């Protein structure tokens, strides 16, 4: 009878667990759409609603005047976390969908930028002003550059270059900015746009407009003041030519014609010798008549995609691609249990050094260029495997209609080519006791951002053992300037007259942990040496490492500075939940990075990227602290709209709280000859892992049916034990798996 009761109890318990997991899955699926990017219908509805409001006086964004009121950006406005969790954890009604809208008011006495929250979609009927910490307003000068402003910039450059047509033609080897066909000049503008608050003046450098024009500076740079909303009042403040400064174009042209300066004369352009092209050159050691290895899915995909909701091997999550910043995931769960509410990209910066004015001014803050919108089409077989699921994206930025980006995100399962785990247990007699192994298949969620010259490949990677990896790989063209005698202090000569400028990439992420609930704590774990008498040999002593744990109870104590000694483990845990062995359920962050700070603390421009002081900082969750940066920090880093330092200044308590980890990764890039034609991904990938640390009772990948075990029978023959079909399929091999495992003298 006791056995019967026990069996009934176990059956009821298992049934209840299955019901609970099914319910949690349904709620996660139900809530995923809260985080979905706005649809085309919603984007148009928001646009039309605002355009009908007479008090806003909106006109088309692409109309030529700068003195106009227009929409710059429309994207999803996230719901408050508390409201979202009601849907995710209780299955309650989802909060109304809302839009974040950035409006540029240029047609008024005091131009400004205002953000609105428009509700409720898909039939908007109300709006409210979105505020920032300290009620910080958004200066008009901090707005991003737009298509229209670039058109006006091109017009003033036409005037400038017409004055110096002979100089530029002779300097560049037959190129000109106007009245050209296949030998045209183009330009690159530099940010931040000035040196102090309220300025809008940009250094612009000219380049040959050929394939890979980033690598073809001609030694001419000009500082244009374009603060006035009447582009006819824009003017040149400074000119730089071949390591010499001039106060005006007239001065430069006069001295050039009078032979008073050192001239540049680049060689005639040769299309056959274009060093910046991808066209193959040199001797290839690979056969060109056969393809390399390709991925296959013998029985089809093993992951499930429904809208923005994805499930794979115990994982489930929702995703979006935020127009202003990029890829984010929400409600990250493993076997139905939430690990994080949000993991998302915040910012990418590249701070340069150089000898030309454009190079020394270059401090790119990529959200200021709406890096989330530069998600262009992915190439099957190159950017993603041919077997991937490709997803289209839609953005509304600096436009009058939503823009469709085809195949801009991909999802695929990948065999990493290395086992998740394996062991060969020898019997030391030419045979073995057993061999066991599990292939390492992962799910990859990928998007890219091409922000001018650089291409960032953004990956979220999901492993079968409850590990998630966030990785960014950098490729694309280096930011090159004209080589000067002093230039080699700031980079490497990569071609005649071309300097590859040194720079530091930093990427910032947000990780909003919810480990078995919202009440989490944070500790770091390191090692300390201990020295004690050997208990089994009292005349000797033992020196070994001992765990040393530090509880970080406040935000300041949990903000780790670059340049300081870092603890080995960053451990986030729930003090109220334990696993089978009595350990607090937790996850840890493991950094894969070579990052360092980009500027000393206190430097003016550093105020716009105060998050770059910390490889890791931990704060309490607040709905008012959704992001560590803003798209306005690029053009006003001196008094930024969003300053991350404000988030930790109040030094709040972190024990048993809703915690957010802010992670900075990156690397130094000193360009080199092999960056021609452009930078390759190997060695240029950084990121971090979220790794379970006593979250489970054992490795959850034990549930995988892809495990293979081989033992020898009494006759020494291999006996294969597996839980998937013996034959993979004709596209891989018609032969069943085989393994011998013996070894012998020869």
């Amino acid at each position: 009878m006791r056995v019967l009761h026990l069996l009934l109890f176990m059956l009821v318990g298992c049934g209840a667990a299955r019901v609970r997991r099914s319910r949690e899955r349904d709620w996660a699926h139900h809530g995923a759409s809260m985080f979905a990017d706005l649809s085309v219908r919603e984007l148009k509805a928001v646009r039309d609603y605002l355009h009908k409001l007479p008090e806003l006086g909106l006109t088309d964004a692409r109309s030529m005047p700068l003195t106009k009121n227009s929409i710059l950006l429309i994207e999803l406005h996230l719901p408050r976390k508390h409201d979202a969790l009601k849907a995710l954890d209780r299955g309650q009604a989802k909060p109304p969908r809302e839009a974040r809208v950035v409006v540029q008011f240029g047609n008024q006495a005091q131009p400004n930028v205002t953000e609105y929250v428009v509700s409720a979609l898909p039939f908007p009927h109300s709006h409210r002003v979105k505020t920032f910490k300290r009620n910080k307003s958004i200066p008009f000068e901090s707005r991003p550059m737009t298509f229209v402003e670039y058109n006006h910039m091109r017009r003033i450059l036409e005037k400038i270059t017409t004055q110096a047509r002979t100089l530029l033609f002779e300097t560049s080897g037959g190129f000109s900015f106007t009245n050209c066909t296949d030998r045209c000049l183009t330009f690159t503008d530099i940010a931040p746009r000035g040196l102090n608050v309220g300025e809008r003046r940009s250094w612009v450098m000219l380049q040959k407009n050929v394939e890979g024009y980033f690598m073809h500076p001609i030694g001419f740079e000009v500082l244009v003041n374009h603060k006035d909303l009447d582009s006819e009042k824009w003017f040149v403040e400074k000119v730089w030519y071949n390591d010499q400064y001039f106060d005006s174009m007239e001065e430069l042209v006069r001295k050039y014609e009078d032979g008073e300066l050192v001239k540049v004369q680049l060689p005639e352009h040769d299309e056959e010798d274009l060093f910046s092209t991808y066209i193959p050159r040199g001797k290839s050691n690979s056969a060109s008549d056969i393809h390399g290895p390709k991925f296959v899915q013998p029985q089809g995909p093993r992951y499930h995609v429904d809208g923005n909701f994805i499930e794979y091997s115990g994982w489930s999550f929702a995703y979006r691609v935020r127009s202003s910043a990029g890829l984010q995931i929400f409600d990250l769960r493993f076997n139905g249990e939430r690990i994080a509410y949000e993991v998302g990209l915040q910012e990418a910066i590249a701070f340069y050094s150089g000898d030309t004015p454009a190079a020394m001014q270059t401090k790119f803050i990529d959200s200021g260029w709406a890096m989330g919108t530069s998600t262009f089409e992915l190439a099957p077989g190159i950017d993603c495997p041919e077997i991937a699921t490709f997803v289209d994206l839609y953005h509304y930025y600096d436009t009058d209609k939503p823009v469709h980006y085809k195949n801009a995100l991909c999802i695929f399962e990948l065999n990493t080519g290395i086992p998740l785990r394996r062991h060969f247990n020898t019997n030391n007699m030419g045979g073995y006791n057993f061999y066991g192994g599990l292939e390492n298949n992962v799910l990859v969620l990928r998007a890219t951002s091409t922000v001018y010259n650089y291409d960032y490949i953004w990956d979220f990677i999901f492993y079968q053992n409850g590990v998630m990896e966030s990785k960014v790989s950098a490729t694309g063209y280096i930011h090159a300037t004209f080589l000067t005698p002093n230039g080699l202090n700031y980079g490497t000569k990569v071609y005649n007259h071309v300097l590859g400028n040194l720079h530091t990439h930093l990427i910032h992420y947000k990780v909003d942990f919810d480990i078995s609930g919202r009440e989490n704590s944070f500790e770091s774990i390191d090692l300390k040496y201990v020295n004690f008498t050997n208990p089994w040999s009292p005349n000797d002593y033992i020196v070994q490492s001992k765990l040393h744990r530090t509880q970080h109870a406040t935000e300041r104590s949990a903000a780790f500075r670059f340049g300081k000694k870092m603890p080995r483990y960053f451990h986030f845990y729930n003090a109220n939940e334990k696993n089978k062995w009595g350990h607090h359920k937790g996850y840890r962050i493991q950094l894969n990075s070579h990052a360092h700070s980009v500027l000393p603390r206190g430097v003016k421009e550093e105020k716009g990227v105060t998050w770059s002081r910390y490889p890791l900082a931990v704060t309490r969750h607040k709905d008012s602290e959704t992001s560590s940066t803003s798209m306005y920090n690029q053009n006003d880093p001196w008094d930024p709209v969003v300053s991350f330092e404000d988030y930790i200044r109040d030094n709040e308590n972190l024990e048993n709280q809703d915690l957010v980890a802010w992670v900075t990764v990156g690397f130094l890039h000193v360009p080199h000859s092999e960056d021609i034609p452009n930078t390759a991904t190997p060695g240029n990938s950084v990121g971090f892992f979220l790794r379970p640390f006593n979250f489970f009772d054992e490795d959850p990948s034990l549930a995988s049916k892809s495990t293979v075990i081989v033992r020898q029978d009494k006759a020494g023959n291999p006996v294969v034990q597996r839980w998937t079909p013996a034959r993979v399929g004709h596209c891989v091999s018609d032969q069943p798996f085989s393994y011998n495992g013996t070894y012998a003298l020869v």
Side-chain angles (χ1 to χ4, degrees):
M1 185 63 70
R2 288 181 180 176
V3 173
L4 179 61
H5 284 155
L6 180 61
L7 287 172
L8 288 172
F9 178 78
M10 291 173 65
L11 288 171
V12 170
C14 291
R18 282 195 297 270
V19 169
R20 184 181 69 252
R21 284 196 295 270
S22 176
R23 183 180 60 196
E24 289 169 346
R25 186 267 175 198
D26 290 343
W27 289 348
H29 181 262
H30 160 74
S33 61
M34 292 186 293
F35 310 110
D37 288 310
L38 300 183
S39 66
V40 171
R41 178 190 180 194
E42 290 172 322
L43 291 168
K44 289 182 176 180
V46 172
R47 176 202 62 190
D48 294 346
Y49 165 75
L50 291 176
H51 269 264
K52 290 177 182 177
L53 298 176
E55 63 270 26
L56 298 185
L58 296 180
T59 59
D60 289 346
R62 291 297 179 96
S63 61
M64 285 306 293
L66 293 170
T67 53
K68 64 174 182 287
N69 302 341
S70 61
I71 295 172
L72 176 68
L73 168 73
I74 305 174
E75 66 178 8
L76 176 71
H77 177 72
L78 289 173
R80 294 171 63 245
K81 183 176 180 179
H82 176 76
D83 296 333
L85 289 178
K86 290 180 181 178
L88 294 171
D89 292 346
R90 305 177 199 170
Q92 294 183 8
K94 292 172 286 190
R97 281 173 64 78
E98 297 181 318
R100 173 200 177 199
V101 185
V102 177
V103 177
Q104 300 182 133
F105 288 100
N107 187 23
Q108 56 187 40
Q110 295 295 326
N112 71 79
V113 177
T114 302
E115 294 200 5
Y116 295 97
V117 177
V118 176
S119 187
L121 307 183
F123 305 108
H125 54 77
S126 65
H127 63 281
R128 63 186 185 274
V129 173
K130 184 178 183 295
T131 58
F132 294 87
K133 289 180 84 70
R134 297 179 284 128
N135 291 317
K136 185 84 171 77
S137 60
I138 307 170
F140 200 59
E141 293 77 19
S142 70
R143 71 194 186 279
M145 288 284 286
T146 62
F147 174 85
V148 169
E149 192 168 4
Y150 274 120
N151 272 345
H152 289 287
M153 180 67 76
R154 176 168 286 278
R155 288 183 179 180
I156 191 172
L157 289 175
E158 289 173 354
K159 295 178 183 178
I160 293 168
T161 56
T162 299
Q163 288 180 268
R165 182 176 178 82
T166 300
L167 178 155
L168 295 173
F169 190 86
E170 294 176 351
T171 293
S172 63
F175 283 69
S176 58
F177 196 80
T178 57
N179 299 321
C180 57
T181 52
D182 60 343
R183 290 176 175 253
C184 296
L185 295 173
T186 187
F187 70 94
T188 291
D189 59 311
I190 303 302
R193 305 181 189 282
L195 299 173
N196 291 290
V197 173
E199 296 183 355
R200 197 167 180 85
R201 48 191 184 130
S202 301
W203 276 103
V204 177
M205 64 175 175
L206 296 189
Q207 301 140 316
K208 295 180 182 180
N209 193 9
V210 296
E211 195 170 280
Y213 62 86
F214 317 98
M215 306 298 299
H216 295 270
I218 67 167
F220 178 91
E221 301 176 2
V222 59
L223 178 60
V224 177
N225 189 313
H226 52 112
K227 179 177 178 177
D228 202 291
L229 296 184
D230 181 356
S231 62
E232 294 298 320
K233 297 179 181 178
W234 292 4
F235 60 94
V236 172
E237 290 192 7
K238 214 77 172 176
V239 183
W240 183 90
Y241 174 79
N242 192 23
D243 208 20
Q244 302 155 87
Y245 286 90
F246 306 90
D247 291 327
S248 66
M249 284 299 302
E250 291 77 12
E251 180 190 3
L252 167 61
V253 172
R254 177 177 56 78
K255 289 186 176 181
Y256 182 88
E257 292 175 347
D258 293 345
E260 297 180 20
L261 48 78
V262 179
K263 298 182 179 180
V264 178
Q265 285 190 317
L266 299 178
E268 287 286 328
H269 178 65
D270 184 0
E271 285 288 350
E272 300 301 320
D273 187 33
L274 185 59
F275 69 94
S276 56
T277 182
Y278 270 49
I279 296 173
R281 53 185 178 267
K283 181 182 178 182
S284 174
N285 294 312
S286 299
S288 59
D289 57 344
I290 56 174
H291 284 284
K294 296 292 182 180
F295 292 97
V296 296
Q297 295 176 140
Q299 286 83 37
R302 301 194 301 176
Y303 57 88
H304 176 70
V305 181
D306 186 0
N308 71 318
F309 182 67
I310 299 176
E311 295 173 288
Y312 169 76
S313 192
W315 290 101
S316 70
F317 57 90
Y319 74 87
R320 71 181 283 216
V321 180
R322 184 166 49 135
S323 298
S324 53
L327 193 58
Q328 294 175 295
I329 58 175
F330 294 89
D331 193 28
L332 178 65
R333 305 187 190 208
F334 194 91
N335 289 338
E337 192 168 6
R338 185 177 302 113
I339 297 162
Y341 175 76
E342 175 187 352
V343 183
L345 176 64
Q346 300 293 297
E347 186 62 274
I349 66 174
F351 278 33
Y352 287 76
S353 298
D355 191 45
T356 79
M360 62 183 72
Q361 181 67 5
T362 303
K363 299 173 180 64
F364 287 142
I365 304 175
D366 288 343
S367 67
W369 307 75
M371 66 178 174
T373 65
S374 56
T375 50
F376 301 104
E377 183 172 359
L378 300 168
I382 303 171
D383 296 323
C384 311
E386 290 93 340
I387 61 168
T389 298
F390 290 88
V391 179
D392 295 354
L393 298 176
Y394 298 87
H395 296 294
Y396 195 108
Y397 176 78
D398 190 22
T399 181
D400 293 307
K401 294 181 179 180
V403 180
H404 176 204
Y405 293 79
K406 182 182 178 183
N407 294 345
L409 178 139
C410 68
I411 305 150
F412 57 93
E413 188 176 8
L414 172 72
N415 186 299
T416 63
I418 189 171
L420 183 68
R421 60 171 172 269
R422 59 95 66 191
H423 181 66
F424 180 86
N425 191 242
T426 178
N427 64 7
N428 296 312
M429 294 182 293
Y432 55 99
N433 299 313
F434 77 94
Y435 165 82
L438 174 61
E439 60 188 8
N440 190 15
N441 292 319
V442 300
L443 185 77
V444 180
L445 175 69
R446 173 173 294 171
T448 63
S449 295
T450 301
V451 190
Y452 184 59
N453 58 309
Y454 256 104
D455 293 67
Y456 295 105
I457 302 170
W458 311 106
D459 286 341
F460 286 126
I461 305 171
F462 304 87
Y463 295 79
Q464 301 170 72
N465 62 340
V467 172
M468 194 209 82
E469 180 183 2
S470 178
K471 183 171 75 170
V472 55
S473 303
T475 179
Y477 286 93
I478 58 175
H479 180 54
T481 57
F482 195 77
L483 179 62
T484 65
N486 195 39
L488 292 178
N489 291 311
Y490 304 106
T492 305
K493 179 181 179 180
V494 293
Y495 203 75
N496 295 327
H497 304 287
V498 181
L499 180 77
N501 296 77
L502 72 86
H503 54 283
T504 296
H505 291 276
L506 292 183
I507 315 296
H508 204 224
Y509 290 91
K510 176 183 181 181
V511 182
D512 183 353
F513 279 113
D514 275 6
I515 299 170
S516 297
R518 296 183 70 176
E519 294 184 355
N520 292 172
S521 298
F522 170 60
E523 68 174 358
S524 59
I525 305 174
D526 219 325
L527 299 178
K528 279 191 173 182
Y529 290 121
V530 291
N531 186 332
F532 56 89
T533 300
N534 189 326
W536 47 269
S537 182
N539 293 329
D540 296 298
Y541 59 91
I542 299 292
V543 178
Q544 63 183 15
S545 297
K546 179 182 179 181
L547 288 174
H548 177 72
R549 299 175 183 264
T550 302
Q551 188 72 31
H552 297 278
T554 61
E555 291 175 326
R556 274 293 175 200
S557 73
F560 299 89
R561 297 290 298 270
F562 278 116
K564 302 289 186 180
K565 186 178 182 296
M566 293 279 286
R568 315 285 183 90
Y569 278 33
F570 299 113
H571 180 214
F572 297 81
Y573 64 94
N574 190 319
N576 305 308
E577 295 289 335
K578 295 182 179 180
N579 72 359
K580 181 179 179 180
W581 313 111
H583 302 296
H584 296 308
K585 299 183 69 170
Y587 258 74
R588 68 183 183 96
I589 290 178
Q590 178 178 314
L591 302 179
N592 173 28
S593 173
H594 318 288
H596 206 279
S597 57
V598 290
L599 287 174
R601 185 169 184 167
V603 173
K604 290 190 299 182
E605 289 82 5
E606 192 265 351
K607 295 178 182 178
V609 290
T610 52
W611 54 264
S612 69
R613 299 170 180 174
Y614 311 102
L616 178 74
V618 183
T619 65
R620 281 171 62 168
H621 172 271
K622 293 180 181 176
D623 287 310
S624 61
E625 296 176 352
T626 57
S627 179
S628 59
T629 185
S630 83
M631 65 196 310
Y632 316 108
N633 287 25
Q634 171 67 93
N635 293 330
D636 188 1
W638 312 284
D639 186 20
V641 171
V642 175
S643 174
F644 177 74
E645 196 67 22
D646 290 342
Y647 295 5
I648 59 178
R649 186 168 284 124
D650 49 10
N651 200 28
E652 291 185 296
N653 179 270
L654 297 179
E655 295 181 300
N656 293 315
Q657 301 293 336
D658 189 353
L659 300 185
V660 178
W662 306 88
V663 181
T664 304
V665 297
F667 61 94
L668 167 67
H669 186 183
V670 180
H672 44 89
S673 303
E674 294 79 12
D675 282 314
I676 301 300
N678 68 8
T679 300
T681 53
N684 290 319
S685 296
V686 294
F688 62 93
F689 293 86
L690 301 184
R691 298 184 59 182
F693 195 71
N694 299 313
F695 187 83
F696 304 102
D697 297 333
E698 59 184 3
D699 187 335
S701 67
L702 278 170
S704 173
K705 302 303 183 184
S706 297
T707 296
V708 174
I709 302 172
V710 185
R711 298 182 177 90
Q712 287 184 302
D713 62 17
K714 293 181 180 180
N717 299 312
V719 178
V720 178
Q721 187 176 12
R722 64 182 305 155
W723 291 263
T724 55
R727 289 177 172 81
V728 178
H730 70 276
C731 53
V732 178
S733 173
D734 288 326
Q735 300 301 313
F737 172 86
S738 64
Y739 187 87
N740 184 280
T742 60
Y743 51 99
L745 295 173
V746 293

